[in-house]
């Protein structure tokens, strides 16, 4: 199930995107109060924007813009909204996204071709280990996509290893959709309860919310810990509510494939200019074919690198590499630039660490301070020394590390108000 456009030539892909960009600009100009005002303020003649390169003449949209002007981004009357979703904003309050009936169809199409990219086929049974409630878009998107693909869905929801295993052993799913760190808890429960997990029906896992790859696409420590015990194939996927689009790995495991019929991607530097090919920058997207709340040059806050070399799967679309980090989460510590994913991966290396949280604050000098709180099997000075030495060797700096009660950290990491584990808290001024 590879859409023809994804196997087309690069010139044909560009032509399609430019045609859809023209339609998007006309739609925004006619229906979006926010973009109408933006075009007027900057004296933008949308007829002059004809190519992907011309996008650079348009202003970017930030998460703060979206939060401060949420209602003005809607392009349809509220009676056309079929589903309401929310995502976090930069100013504390969540941002509301509405989806029309056509938007839900587009969401289903996106997930269907994304799951097919990872190898899920009609008739496969998939266990959905994430929530469909609390106004999260992801769980609904997964369900709609699997339904469109013709796969069976077991809606178990998040957490509770015993319930997950009961369902796996009863319904024999071929794939799971899960947060990868939770798979370690699945393995731990199986071993404690004499479940032969390598003899189970599960062959692959679509992993959400946490990175599985290093920048060279080699497996992360987390991925190696899982596959070192459980013989399953792990597929990484990257998406966000704002995009209503996913970038999912194919069998080659070399980055998430772009769906050019759904989204235009740019990678920008600090001055909102395109980075050189092969360089990292902030992923900036323009959504295509969305009715309720389309976005133009929206800065996601995620630092990524694009890969344009041909993929052996036959798709000619570019691929998004592993997220380096979130721009707003960048840490300057003792002269070194750090991102939480790198620290998270180092902590996952230690078998003795059961859970962790990285807290960033501003010290008396006005610079970034790092505190890592860990729950460990045994609280020993030797472990603290090993962790600090490992940080010094890999990242050239040593943050403050202290032990914390396991139950306290568990409540912070697995908040009922988040569909993903929270391993990073930013308390900076």
């Amino acid at each position: 199930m590879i859409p023809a456009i994804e196997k087309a030539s690069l010139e044909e892909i560009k032509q399609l995107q430019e045609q859809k960009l023209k339609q998007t600009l006309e739609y925004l100009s006619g229906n979006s109060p926010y973009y109408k005002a933006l075009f007027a303020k900057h004296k933008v003649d949308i007829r002059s924007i004809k190519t992907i390169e011309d996008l650079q003449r348009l202003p970017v949209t930030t998460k703060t813009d979206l939060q401060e002007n949420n209602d003005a981004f809607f392009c349809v009357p509220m009676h056309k909204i079929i589903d309401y979703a929310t995502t976090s904003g930069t100013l504390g309050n969540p941002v509301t996204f509405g989806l029309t009936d056509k938007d839900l169809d587009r969401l289903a199409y996106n997930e269907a071709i994304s799951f097919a990219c990872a190898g899920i086929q009609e008739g496969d049974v998939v266990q959905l280990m994430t929530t469909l409630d609390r106004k999260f878009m992801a769980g609904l998107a997964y369900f709609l996509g699997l339904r469109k693909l013709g796969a069976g869905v077991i809606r178990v929801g998040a957490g509770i290893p015993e319930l997950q295993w009961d369902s796996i052993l009863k319904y024999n799913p071929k794939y799971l959709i899960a947060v990868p760190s939770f798979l370690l808890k699945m393995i731990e429960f199986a071993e404690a309860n004499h479940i032969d997990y390598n003899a189970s029906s599960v062959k692959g896992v679509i992993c959400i919310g946490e990175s599985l790859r290093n920048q060279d696409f080699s497996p992360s420590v987390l991925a190696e810990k899982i596959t070192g015990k459980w013989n399953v194939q792990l597929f990484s996927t990257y998406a966000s509510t704002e995009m209503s689009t996913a970038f999912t790995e194919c069998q080659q495991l070399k980055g998430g494939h772009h769906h050019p019929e759904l989204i235009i991607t740019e990678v920008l530097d600090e001055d909102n200019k395109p980075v050189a090919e092969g360089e990292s920058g902030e992923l900036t997207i323009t959504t295509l074919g969305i009715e309720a709340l389309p976005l133009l040059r929206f800065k996601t806050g995620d630092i990524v690198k694009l890969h344009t070399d041909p993929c052996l799967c036959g798709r000619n679309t570019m691929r998004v590499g592993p997220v380096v980090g979130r721009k707003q989460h960048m840490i300057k510590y003792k002269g070194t630039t750090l991102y939480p994913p790198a620290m998270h991966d180092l902590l996952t290396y230690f078998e003795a660490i059961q859970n962790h949280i990285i807290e960033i604050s501003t010290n008396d000098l006005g610079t970034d301070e790092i505190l890592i709180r860990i729950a460990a099997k045994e609280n020993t000075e030797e472990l603290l020394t090993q962790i600090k030495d490992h940080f010094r060797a890999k990242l050239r700096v040593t943050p403050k590390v202290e032990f914390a009660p396991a139950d306290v950290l568990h409540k912070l990491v697995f908040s009922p108000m988040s569909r993903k584990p929270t391993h990073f808290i930013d308390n900076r001024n």
Side-chain angles (χ1 to χ4, degrees), residues 251-379:
Q251 298 285 333
Q252 302 302 316
L253 309 178
K254 298 291 185 182
H257 274 282
H258 174 218
H259 302 312
E261 65 273 47
L262 298 179
I263 198 165
I264 294 171
T265 57
E266 305 171 81
V267 175
L268 305 181
D269 62 18
E270 291 286 341
D271 298 317
N272 295 329
K273 303 294 184 186
V275 300
E277 187 169 347
E279 294 294 314
S280 297
E282 185 171 1
L283 183 66
T284 301
I285 57 97
T286 296
T287 56
L288 302 173
I290 286 181
E291 276 191 331
L293 209 155
L295 292 170
L296 177 67
R297 300 200 83 201
F298 176 78
K299 301 183 74 176
T300 64
D302 290 323
I303 307 300
V304 303
K305 185 188 296 183
L306 299 184
H307 297 264
T308 56
D309 51 307
C311 185
L312 294 176
C313 73
R315 293 172 177 83
N316 287 329
T317 51
M318 66 84 184
R319 303 178 312 284
V320 174
V323 174
V324 176
R326 291 194 59 76
K327 184 179 179 182
Q328 70 193 70
H329 291 167
M330 186 179 78
I331 304 157
K332 280 285 190 181
Y333 186 66
K334 296 181 180 178
T336 300
T337 298
L338 303 174
Y339 286 99
M343 291 188 282
H344 172 70
D345 208 41
L346 290 188
L347 293 164
T348 305
Y349 170 83
F350 290 91
E351 293 283 350
I353 296 178
Q354 298 171 309
N355 217 338
H356 71 268
I357 278 189
I358 301 163
E359 295 186 15
I360 312 299
S361 58
T362 306
N363 60 26
D364 294 339
L365 300 175
T367 59
D368 292 345
E369 197 67 52
I370 304 173
L371 169 63
I372 299 175
R373 301 167 66 193
I374 62 170
K377 294 176 181 176
E378 291 187 26
N379 297 353

Side-chain angles (χ1 to χ4, degrees), residues 106-107 110-111 238-240 243-247 259 262-263 287:
R106 178 190 176 283
L107 194 64
N110 160 72
E111 292 296 345
Y238 167 76
S240 73
M243 296 191 292
S244 287
T245 311
F247 296 79
H259 302 312
L262 298 179
I263 198 165
T287 56

Side-chain angles (χ1 to χ4, degrees), residues 158-277:
I160 317 176
E162 183 177 4
L163 183 61
Q164 304 293 348
W165 277 117
D166 286 349
S167 180
I168 290 169
L169 298 174
K170 182 172 183 179
Y171 300 112
N172 298 313
K174 187 175 180 180
Y175 292 91
L176 309 176
I177 299 175
V179 174
S181 59
F182 183 70
L183 298 176
L184 294 175
K185 295 187 179 299
M186 295 276 291
I187 292 170
E188 185 180 339
F189 181 88
E191 289 176 342
N193 291 273
H194 311 293
I195 296 171
D196 186 354
Y197 45 88
N198 278 311
S200 77
S201 60
V202 178
K203 303 303 178 190
V205 186
I206 312 300
C207 293
I208 62 172
E210 295 172 340
S211 180
L212 296 173
R213 312 275 174 244
N214 300 314
Q215 288 302 309
D216 63 356
F217 298 119
S218 61
S220 67
V221 173
L222 175 59
E224 287 184 330
K225 274 192 169 185
I226 296 165
T227 56
K229 289 197 167 188
W230 196 355
N231 184 26
V232 290
Q233 195 165 19
L234 305 178
F235 297 91
S236 187
T237 185
Y238 167 76
S240 73
T241 300
E242 295 93 345
M243 296 191 292
S244 287
T245 311
F247 296 79
T248 303
E249 287 183 323
C250 68
Q251 298 285 333
Q252 302 302 316
L253 309 178
K254 298 291 185 182
H257 274 282
H258 174 218
H259 302 312
E261 65 273 47
L262 298 179
I263 198 165
I264 294 171
T265 57
E266 305 171 81
V267 175
L268 305 181
D269 62 18
E270 291 286 341
D271 298 317
N272 295 329
K273 303 294 184 186
V275 300
E277 187 169 347

Side-chain angles (χ1 to χ4, degrees), residues 347 350 352-357 359 371-388 400-409:
L347 293 164
F350 290 91
I353 296 178
Q354 298 171 309
N355 217 338
H356 71 268
I357 278 189
E359 295 186 15
L371 169 63
I372 299 175
R373 301 167 66 193
I374 62 170
K377 294 176 181 176
E378 291 187 26
N379 297 353
T380 65
E381 285 299 319
E382 182 183 2
L383 176 60
L384 290 181
T385 300
Q386 289 174 350
I387 293 170
K388 290 176 181 179
K400 183 179 179 182
V401 184
E402 66 180 34
F403 293 111
D407 58 337
V408 172
L409 280 196

